[in-house]
Structures are given as C-alpha cells and as structure tokens.
Amino acid sequence: MIDRDRLQKRHAEGNEAMNGAESLVRTLVAGGVDVCFTNPGTSEMHFVAALDRVEGMRCVLGLFEGVVTGAADGYYRMKGTPASTLLHLGPGLANGLANLHNAKKANSGIVNIVGQHATYHIGYNAPLTSDIEGLARPMSAWVRTSPDAKSVAADGVAAIEAARSAQIATLILPADTAWNEADGIAQVTAENQRASYSAQAVDHAARILRNGGASTLVLMTGSALTEHGLALAGQIAGKTGCKVMAQTYNPRMARGRGRFSVDRIPYVIEQALPILKDFKNIVLVEANDPVAFFAYPNKPSMLKPQGCEVHRMTSGAENSVAALEALAGALHAQPSDRQPQKPVELARPTGALNHASIAQAIAMAIPENAIVVDESVTTGRGFFPPTAAAAPHDWLQNMGGSIGFSTPVATGAAVACPDRKVICMVGDGSAMYTLQSLWTQAREGLNVVTIVFANKIYQILRGEFDGVGAGEPGQRALDMLKLDRPDLDFVALAKGMGVPARAVANADDFNKALAEAIAEPGPRLIEVQM
C-alpha cells in the first residue's frame, strides 16, 4: 500500500517523488495534451487530485460521458491536437462509446483515461467490475492497462503518440497504479508528421484526368477540404473539366464566400444515383467508395455506376494537400484555370418558417470565421447551397451517424477556439441525447449558439419507415416516432441549465434571435418551432 506521509514529505522537500496519477498528468501536459474533459468516479479520485496539483491542464466537466467524448472529438477537429478524457470504469466508458464511434469515423485523436478497480480488487467481482479493454477495443486503435505505477508515465507517452496519429487511444488506470509511487514523467517524443503521399498514385490520377476529365469524379474528404485543398481542387476542375464533390458527411469543410464550393453526395439514394451515373472513374482523396448509408430493399448499396473504376490517390494518413499540389503541377493547373462559380443570392427572409427561409436566415447570420456544427438531419438537407455565399466559416458534420453528436462537438470546438463563434444546428430528437452539453457551455462561458429545430417528430425515421418499405405506420409505430405528449420545452430546458433561450415561430423573429445570440458572448439557445 502507498505510504502517503512519505510522499507528502518528499513533495514538501521539493523532491520529484509523485504517484502514478501525477506522473501521468505531468506527462500529458508535457506532451501537449492540456485539456481534460472529465466525468470521474471513485477510482479516478487520485487522478482528480493530481489535476488539482498540476499546473497547465484545463479541466472541463461534463454531466454525461457522451458529452465528454464528443467534446474531445470537436476539440481535435478544430485544434488538430488531442485532448484527454477521464471516464469512470467500464460503464462510464460505455456511456461515451457512441460519440467515440463518431470520433473514430472522423479520424479524431483522443487520449481516454479510464479508471479501473485496484489490481488486487478486480478478482472479487465487485458490482462495477467489467471487461474495460473489451469495451474499448471496437472504438480504439490503441488500448493498454497500466500494470503498475512505474509504468503509467511511459504508457501515457504511448497513448499520446497514438492519438497524435489521428487515432483513439484508451489507457486504463487501475486505482493502485494511480496512488502508488512512480518514478516521474516519461520522455515525450516530437509530434508525428503526417505521412507524405504516393507519387505513383498522383501520376496515375493525373493520367486519368488527362484522358477523361469530364467523366471523372474527384471525391474528397478530410484535410483535402481545407481552404487550400479546395482551391487546388478548383484549379484541377477548371483545367480538366472533372467534377469535384465531397462525401455526404465530412469531419470539417472550409466554406463561404471566396472559397471553392463543392456539393456533397446526397444522402437519399434516389438523388445520388443520377448524379453519379455518368462517371467512368472516381479518384478518391481520403474519401471512401460512395455507399448508401443503409440497406434498402431493391436499392443498391454501392452508389457508383456499374463499370466505374475507383482509384485511390490518398488515404487519411497521407498529406492530401501536398498530393493535390503535386497533381495540379502535373496537370499544369493554375489559379487562373479556376472557373467562376454560379453566384448564390442571399436575402433576409420574412414570413413563415420553412426549410428555405431557415437556410437563408442562417446563411445571412453566419459571422466571419464561425464554426458550424451540423446535426440538423432532415431540416438541414437544404442548408448547404445558400451557405456557400455566407461569410467564410468551417462546417463540421457527423461522420459516424450516432445521434447526440452536435452539442458535445460544439462544446469541444468552442474550448479549442474561444475567439470563434460556434453555431450548433440540431433536431429536437437528437438534442435530447446530450442536452447536458448546455450546462458545460454555461459553466465554461462558451460562445455557442444552439439552434434546435423542433418539429416534434423523429422525421428522419418517418422517412426511413417509407424508404425500407415497412408499409403505412399504425398508431403504435407513430407513437415511437413522434416527440409529443408532452411536447418538449427547450427554452425551459436551456434556462434550467443556465443558458439564455427563446423560441421563434416566424422568419422575422428568427433573424432577430440569431443576430442577438451571435452578438452576445457566452451560450445561447434558439428553439425554432416548425
């Protein structure tokens, strides 16, 4: 057992003695992991005490583990470096898995610290005993349980290195490895550099585009959707006549006036198939083959046309911007080759709220350098065209499809970029999964405007009911899709968590509410009653 008096005496004498938890916190800070999104329990109390002692780590409390893990995802997407999470045993990790799934699909780097029973206590099968490694592996590229206090710091370095490589790392910390004496912090290596690209793959893509640009689709995601990557794609499209598109969902996309605007492959199969039907070649830049989100009776899973060949130019681990620069050079594509894009007219809407008026209001309201987090699902499908003419901004989407993504990701993005306004768009059904994010936003004073589209139904599922051919829903089926009896009051819910809120039912009030919410610091919520 730990000799606490001896440790405290050595701390007081200025000695380097520390327990495993403190060695890990100091290692994380030295490795550039200086934000911890937390929801701790008993097994993590020595780690909490270490967070209290060590300077340099910002601790952000979430009232549900799905908020914690989603915030770490949003932080990485905007900062480009990993944050850590602190979770309580297997059930705590399990509560956060849905948003770890989304983070994994987005290639977000996260260091999860998960408490475990003391090593000598695990065999007693106490109520919270579980297979934490088994729970972690499906969402984590790297999993390790520290065997003793002297191993913790080195294990922390390995976790940091895995997370820097755009992966989820889960380090499991038994309670006695946290409280027993350690040797100090471990050496943190230099940051990983993104791998280069295959010159052969770029040359092959160049040949495809020279020989049949008009019948070729360049499908992009990830780092290719930065402002510079999009500008290069615009030059290549202008030079060769190819079509450039993004995946249906993307981790982050630069958008707005002056930026090359690309369409996304539609979610609805009947809309996607005619768009893709004439392509003979698809060049993948970090993207995956275009596939349907779900399987539907008598509809294809693969959206590309029969006979279309797919060519991978870069993967998510490669430097896609450098590859696009090389491709533009091979094709002699210059900035002057970029074709003017069709102008999008913006006007401040009035009258009734509908998908078109909401899209115009949001496009008009987006401030310079904003971050837009999109989980608007049904309502938001029409938002993309008008926002191409909005002020320059970044657009973040749900890569994994697990509900409850947007409010936590908006929270993490606001922590990463405190000088930027974050606009979170979410449906009423999705909002209820991780509504506790509002409390964290209020506590931390985060600049997040949450827009809840309250149509009082899981409208996406009502459409899917028809899409899978399940027939006409009866009353019991409809009761599983509608969000009524009682109606949700998001204004009251937000105010109860310390976030000023108001409801709007027409375009004029929505315009006013947006302007006021964006102008004011701190979190705000607008319930759009549809």
Side-chain angles (χ1 to χ4, degrees), residues 161-340:
E161 291 175 346
R164 283 176 176 173
S165 300
Q167 300 178 112
I168 296 172
T170 299
L171 176 58
I172 301 162
L173 194 64
D176 52 337
T177 70
W179 70 51
N180 284 334
E181 185 174 347
D183 291 332
I185 71 171
Q187 183 68 36
V188 180
T189 60
E191 289 201 31
N192 299 350
Q193 297 295 317
R194 183 182 283 266
S196 188
Y197 58 88
S198 166
Q200 184 179 4
V202 170
D203 289 342
H204 179 67
R207 285 195 298 272
I208 296 295
L209 287 162
R210 285 193 202 100
N211 295 332
S215 62
T216 301
L217 170 65
V218 177
L219 184 59
M220 310 201 308
T221 194
S223 63
L225 297 179
T226 58
E227 183 175 6
H228 186 37
L230 286 166
L232 291 165
Q235 295 171 205
I236 292 164
K239 182 71 173 182
T240 66
C242 72
K243 178 74 171 178
V244 180
M245 296 186 75
Q247 290 184 159
T248 307
Y249 298 103
N250 302 279
R252 178 177 174 181
M253 181 189 293
R255 288 180 51 73
R257 291 189 298 270
R259 294 171 170 177
F260 181 60
S261 176
V262 297
D263 292 327
R264 298 173 298 165
I265 294 177
Y267 172 94
V268 179
I269 291 177
E270 289 81 358
Q271 296 173 8
L273 291 176
I275 290 173
L276 300 176
K277 67 181 178 63
D278 294 326
F279 291 119
K280 294 182 171 56
N281 292 281
I282 299 176
V283 175
L284 299 177
V285 185
E286 294 193 37
N288 296 316
D289 277 8
V291 298
F293 209 81
F294 293 107
Y296 300 88
N298 304 314
K299 297 178 185 179
S301 293
M302 187 65 70
L303 301 179
K304 66 182 181 183
Q306 191 170 9
C308 177
E309 295 187 15
V310 176
H311 316 269
R312 177 161 297 284
M313 190 173 83
T314 61
S315 68
E318 293 177 300
N319 191 330
S320 294
V321 173
L324 288 167
E325 287 175 341
L327 181 61
L331 295 167
H332 304 291
Q334 303 295 323
S336 57
D337 291 318
R338 182 173 161 181
Q339 299 296 310

Side-chain angles (χ1 to χ4, degrees), residues 426-505:
V426 61
D428 47 2
S430 299
M432 289 302 295
Y433 279 65
T434 45
L435 197 66
Q436 306 92 330
S437 303
L438 298 177
W439 183 88
T440 300
Q441 292 169 18
R443 190 183 220 222
E444 299 291 324
L446 302 178
N447 290 317
V448 181
V449 177
T450 301
I451 307 169
V452 179
F453 300 105
N455 56 11
K456 298 180 174 56
I457 187 173
Y458 284 124
Q459 186 60 45
I460 180 67
L461 295 183
R462 180 62 187 88
E464 296 294 275
F465 199 96
D466 294 336
V468 299
E472 187 65 27
Q475 188 57 52
R476 276 182 291 181
L478 287 173
D479 282 345
M480 287 183 275
L481 305 179
K482 289 186 176 181
L483 305 177
D484 58 4
R485 305 196 332 265
D487 291 344
L488 293 164
D489 184 345
F490 282 94
V491 172
L493 289 166
K495 288 181 177 179
M497 284 185 274
V499 175
R502 63 178 293 184
V504 299

Side-chain angles (χ1 to χ4, degrees), residues 93 112 114-119 122 130-137 142-149 151-152 154-156 159 169-177:
L93 173 61
N112 294 316
V114 183
Q116 170 63 294
H117 289 304
T119 53
I122 294 173
S130 64
D131 180 5
I132 302 178
E133 288 194 1
L135 290 168
R137 283 195 182 95
W142 183 98
V143 179
R144 184 177 297 172
T145 301
S146 288
D148 52 59
S151 303
V152 168
D155 291 343
T170 299
L171 176 58
I172 301 162
L173 194 64
D176 52 337
T177 70

Side-chain angles (χ1 to χ4, degrees), residues 64-67 69-70 73 92-105 135 139 168 398-405 408-409 433-434:
F64 174 63
E65 293 89 343
V67 173
T69 54
D73 180 12
L93 173 61
N95 279 344
L97 285 179
N99 273 327
L100 287 177
H101 164 79
N102 292 332
K104 178 182 178 181
K105 293 289 187 178
L135 290 168
M139 309 308 174
I168 296 172
N398 188 345
M399 292 292 293
S402 183
I403 301 176
F405 145 89
V409 166
Y433 279 65
T434 45

